[in-house]
Amino acid sequence: MTTSNTGTGDVDPAVREELARLRDSIDNIDAAVVHMLAERFKATQQVGHLKARHQLPPAGAAREARQIERLRTLAENARLDPAFAEKFLNFIIAEVIRHHERIAEDTVNGAAPLAD
């Protein structure tokens, strides 16, 4: 590959092409991540409805701890920073718990629909 900057502000066409290829790949990965998160939240919504119907707590500390440990191991195996993976999972867990609390509240108030 040639120099990325010729000093005149022009970007080498080969560099521009490589950037476009890499960015297209990143965009595809981002789309896949969004779709996978949507599927995950569909499943957790069903869990929330099941928990609410059976008066189970919205959060499960033991399950969360197992999931965090599992994700940290997966991250290490994938050469991803386990601390980052844990922060990411904690963010998702917090959102899931918020959803489960809302579902439980709606169920108590008679506003929740039956499970999807």
Side-chain angles (χ1 to χ4, degrees), residues 25-87:
S25 181
I26 290 166
D27 292 349
N28 287 340
I29 293 166
D30 288 347
V33 167
V34 167
H35 287 283
M36 291 179 74
L37 282 171
E39 287 302 312
R40 188 185 196 288
F41 277 100
K42 285 178 190 175
T44 62
Q45 290 289 323
Q46 292 174 355
V47 167
H49 286 287
L50 184 62
K51 284 181 170 185
R53 281 196 312 272
H54 296 279
Q55 288 120 24
L56 297 170
R63 163 98 173 134
E64 291 165 25
R66 284 192 311 272
Q67 284 297 92
I68 288 168
E69 187 56 39
R70 180 177 158 271
L71 192 74
R72 287 185 67 89
T73 299
L74 288 170
E76 288 171 4
N77 292 338
R79 294 191 176 107
L80 178 68
D81 178 7
F84 169 77
E86 184 174 344
K87 287 177 192 174

